[in-house]
Amino acid sequence: MTISKELLDELLKGCERPEDLLGDAGLMKELKIRLMERMLGAELTAHLGYEDGKDAPPNQPNRRNGTTSKRLKGQDGEVPISVPRDRDGSFEPELVKKGQTRIDGMDDKIIGLYAAGLTVRDIRAHLEDVYGLQVSPDLISRVTDAVLDEVREWQSRALDRMYPIVIFDALRVKIRDADSRMVKNKAVYVALGVNRDGLREVLGLWIADNEGVKFWLSVMNELKNRGLQDVLIAVVDGLKGFPEAITAAFPEAAVQTCIVHLVRHSLNFCAWKDRKAVAVDLRAIYGAATADQAAAQLDAFEQKWAGKYASIAPAWRRAWQEVIPFFAFDPAIRKIIYTTNAIESLNRVIRKSIKTRGSFPTDDEATKLIYLAIRNFEKDGRNVREWFAARNQFAIMFDERFNA
């Protein structure tokens, strides 16, 4: 649609200062009000079948019945408009629906502020400072609660039949317990899949007090019910009961411990001055060409460091059955499952969102904010780097399972 120069000149008559155009009583706000009222009038005309100021058709008992004043909240502050009515109350406007009190994507603004980690009090202050709007805490809660419907739909969506890699991880969040009213450290579990095209996809999130075989089996069964039939490699960091549950649900899956987490755990036992040397010797273990060579390097590491850091080598031996699958893979696959950059970057996004919150009043409040963080994470590019070489290796190693 093109607006003529003559029309613009006519509209701008009398606009001599910026506030005449953009101020609270300026042309832009007045134009928005008049256009909305004109569109609402056109909607009523379509509903009744006759123009304003004209006679109604003889067989049309319904008539125009004046207007109702309404104040809508938007980025221009409060906007007063007159909504036309009909006599029998059957008119349902589309532009400004019955019961609607907000325009200009105000709901999206509230959700965006909530996703950034702002509390209800912070959001109220921001809307008043920036837009001059006084918004009730109840309204903000209702807007953000609508996210839960989106979460439920997302959490039950259909999944691909097969994911070459699924990474399971956990982070701790403070949530008030509904029964005791005490704030507890609850675990938020996240499953991040990499599909056959190398795209990262968060498969789901779960909040639980305790993990174990029963919990993880319920997660696996949920994923299966949503269409997941096969996982080639499951990467995990010492989650209790996880190996048993995933092998029960997906018997052919290779369970691989997260090497990065195992290295970090090992370095936590080291004095700062020894960390670099220990890291170099650990790299000799997971950088070995075969499992036998890695075992020999672990023996050498234990001989060198057992006197000073006796707990490191036994920790690797306890996890050894979940470490050795790593050595059967080509370097292209090793690089992806070793670095776990995808889950690390996801956790950074989540922690950034929740760091301003001391604690959450309910599981739902935590779920809303974490889901919005995940949604933002998936907008910022989902491709795994150097996937082409890894995909070729998957196609060769897993053949029918990968190509089915």
Side-chain angles (χ1 to χ4, degrees):
M1 178 181 179
T2 302
I3 300 176
S4 69
K5 181 178 181 299
E6 292 76 15
L7 178 57
L8 287 174
D9 290 341
E10 182 68 25
L11 287 170
L12 291 171
K13 280 182 181 178
C15 288
E16 299 175 354
R17 302 168 300 168
E19 52 265 35
D20 293 335
L21 180 66
L22 302 173
D24 192 51
L27 174 65
M28 294 296 290
K29 188 170 183 179
E30 180 71 14
L31 188 59
K32 177 184 287 187
I33 293 170
R34 296 294 169 254
L35 286 172
M36 291 178 67
E37 290 177 343
R38 185 69 177 268
M39 291 175 69
L40 288 166
E43 285 192 48
L44 182 58
T45 294
H47 177 68
L48 295 177
Y50 72 96
E51 296 283 346
D52 189 17
K54 300 289 182 68
D55 292 333
N59 60 346
Q60 169 59 277
N62 199 8
R63 298 285 190 277
R64 282 178 165 80
N65 189 30
T67 60
T68 300
S69 296
K70 193 167 193 173
R71 302 185 74 84
L72 299 173
K73 293 180 172 68
Q75 62 185 22
D76 299 321
E78 285 199 335
V79 178
I81 64 167
S82 297
V83 181
R85 300 178 302 190
D86 60 342
R87 286 184 181 176
D88 65 13
S90 59
F91 176 47
E92 296 279 352
E94 288 296 321
L95 180 64
V96 180
K97 296 186 179 344
K98 288 183 178 180
Q100 181 179 338
T101 59
R102 301 179 297 284
I103 56 173
D104 297 325
M106 188 53 63
D107 286 7
D108 291 337
K109 287 181 173 62
I110 291 173
I111 290 173
L113 293 169
Y114 188 85
L118 274 67
T119 62
V120 170
R121 181 181 297 176
D122 294 334
I123 294 172
R124 290 185 69 200
H126 177 85
L127 293 177
E128 187 165 2
D129 291 344
V130 176
Y131 303 110
L133 295 176
Q134 293 186 349
V135 179
S136 69
D138 183 58
L139 185 146
I140 295 172
S141 295
R142 288 201 309 272
V143 170
T144 57
D145 281 348
V147 174
L148 289 174
D149 293 333
E150 189 177 337
V151 173
R152 294 184 189 100
E153 184 177 346
W154 172 78
Q155 191 80 347
S156 61
R157 75 195 188 282
L159 300 176
D160 290 352
R161 187 199 66 80
M162 181 276 301
Y163 287 86
I165 302 172
V166 179
I167 305 169
F168 295 87
D169 203 9
L171 62 152
R172 294 284 169 177
V173 177
K174 294 183 182 296
I175 302 175
R176 190 175 300 279
D177 183 69
D179 297 324
S180 67
R181 307 305 299 162
M182 299 286 289
V183 174
K184 293 183 176 181
N185 268 327
K186 289 192 176 183
V188 178
Y189 301 99
V190 179
L192 178 67
V194 178
N195 69 17
R196 70 172 69 240
D197 296 318
L199 296 178
R200 302 175 301 176
E201 178 186 347
V202 181
L203 307 185
L205 70 92
W206 302 267
I207 296 177
D209 291 311
N210 300 296
E211 59 187 276
V213 176
K214 184 180 290 188
F215 166 75
W216 280 115
L217 192 57
S218 70
V219 170
M220 296 303 124
N221 287 335
E222 178 184 320
L223 296 176
K224 289 181 71 174
N225 291 336
R226 291 165 56 194
L228 178 59
Q229 297 178 29
D230 196 9
V231 175
L232 304 186
I233 303 173
V235 184
V236 66
D237 176 36
L239 298 176
K240 183 180 178 182
F242 179 86
E244 298 92 328
I246 194 165
T247 51
F250 304 102
E252 295 184 274
V255 181
Q256 172 66 54
T257 195
C258 176
I259 301 294
V260 167
H261 288 173
L262 193 55
V263 170
R264 287 178 183 168
H265 176 74
S266 301
L267 295 179
N268 286 338
F269 293 97
C270 298
W272 186 259
K273 63 185 179 67
D274 292 329
R275 283 194 169 195
K276 187 174 181 179
V278 171
V280 169
D281 290 343
L282 289 174
R283 190 177 299 117
I285 301 172
Y286 62 79
T290 66
D292 289 340
Q293 292 176 19
Q297 290 293 340
L298 179 57
D299 291 338
F301 178 92
E302 189 166 29
Q303 289 177 6
K304 181 177 179 179
W305 293 103
K308 207 167 188 181
Y309 304 117
S311 59
I312 296 179
W316 280 72
R317 295 190 189 283
R318 285 193 297 272
W320 197 245
Q321 290 306 308
E322 283 76 50
V323 172
I324 54 177
F326 184 79
F327 302 105
F329 302 126
D330 180 84
I333 295 177
R334 284 194 193 188
K335 187 174 182 180
I336 296 171
I337 62 177
Y338 159 74
T339 58
T340 59
N341 282 337
I343 199 72
E344 293 293 324
S345 58
L346 172 60
N347 285 342
R348 279 196 297 272
V349 171
I350 294 175
R351 289 192 179 98
K352 184 178 179 181
S353 293
I354 66 177
K355 70 178 181 180
T356 57
R357 302 293 187 92
S359 63
F360 291 92
T362 64
D363 287 5
D364 280 349
E365 290 297 318
T367 299
K368 284 191 295 186
L369 188 55
I370 293 168
Y371 167 73
L372 291 171
I374 290 171
R375 195 171 70 176
N376 289 336
F377 165 80
E378 292 189 330
K379 288 178 182 177
D380 293 338
R382 299 167 55 197
N383 293 78
V384 174
R385 285 185 176 182
E386 303 176 24
W387 177 252
F388 183 74
R391 179 186 174 119
N392 288 338
Q393 288 295 323
F394 275 115
I396 294 169
M397 288 187 66
F398 296 95
D399 193 13
E400 293 180 1
R401 291 172 63 194
F402 184 81
N403 295 300

